[in-house]
Amino acid sequence: MNRKSTHELSETLGKISTASGLSEYMENLDESNTASETFREFFLSLPEGLRYSLPELIARSGIERTYVYQIMSGIRKPGRDKVILLCLAAGLSIEDTQHALACGQLSPLYVRRRRDAVLIFALNNHLSVQDTQELLNEFHEKILE
């Protein structure tokens, strides 16, 4: 798929002057933004070495058991904090976490946001969920829920 940069899309949108042009742009945008894999599919496709059993993942993440089972069965779509909690619990890298967020159609971690900077640090240093929550609290940032 030929993905355009945000700058290119902005330029294209700036040149549109008709409703039909906007309609065509929106159709193409919807097609290009369709995630090729869902968060659930991404998480279930992790290599054996990166996978914990579901009970271990639940214990490590601190997320309510039923909620995790609903995510993994495709009944629920997780929010940004839940994806990050699961990625921390699984010990995933920042790159894998960014990919997981993209699969969930959620905003990526951004280095200019204070809270995200703490989360990026935690992921880069393989901190546990508990240690990450304490670090967020220490920097007066909202804990992951």
Side-chain angles (χ1 to χ4, degrees):
M1 175 183 352
N2 184 14
R3 267 184 91 87
K4 292 186 176 183
S5 71
T6 302
H7 179 73
E8 289 171 316
L9 290 172
S10 181
E11 283 184 353
T12 301
L13 186 58
K15 293 176 186 174
I16 295 172
S17 60
T18 64
S20 63
L22 178 60
S23 179
E24 183 180 329
Y25 173 85
M26 297 296 281
E27 285 176 27
N28 290 332
L29 187 63
D30 287 343
E31 288 172 17
S32 70
N33 282 337
T34 302
S36 59
E37 115 184 277
T38 65
F39 169 75
R40 176 185 172 272
E41 291 167 342
F42 163 76
F43 218 82
L44 294 175
S45 72
L46 289 173
E48 282 297 319
L50 291 178
R51 257 193 267 156
Y52 287 94
S53 70
L54 217 41
E56 284 178 300
L57 193 61
I58 290 166
R60 292 172 58 91
S61 72
I63 301 173
E64 207 276 327
R65 181 181 67 83
T66 306
Y67 194 91
V68 175
Y69 278 103
Q70 289 173 343
I71 291 170
M72 294 306 169
S73 66
I75 295 171
R76 277 201 152 167
K77 180 182 174 202
R80 189 172 189 258
D81 277 8
K82 297 292 191 253
V83 168
I84 295 168
L85 281 167
L86 289 168
C87 290
L88 281 165
L92 298 185
S93 68
I94 183 65
E95 293 81 12
D96 285 338
T97 301
Q98 296 287 40
H99 184 75
L101 288 166
C103 287
Q105 298 179 333
L106 300 162
S107 62
L109 292 169
Y110 184 56
V111 294
R112 291 187 183 266
R113 291 187 198 125
R114 286 180 48 88
R115 184 174 187 248
D116 286 1
V118 173
L119 294 170
I120 291 167
F121 174 86
L123 287 158
N124 283 336
N125 290 283
H126 307 288
L127 298 184
S128 68
V129 168
Q130 182 177 348
D131 289 342
T132 301
Q133 300 286 43
E134 289 173 8
L135 198 58
L136 285 165
N137 199 34
E138 184 179 321
F139 283 94
H140 308 289
E141 295 298 326
K142 184 176 177 255
I143 62 169
L144 294 163
E145 297 178 345

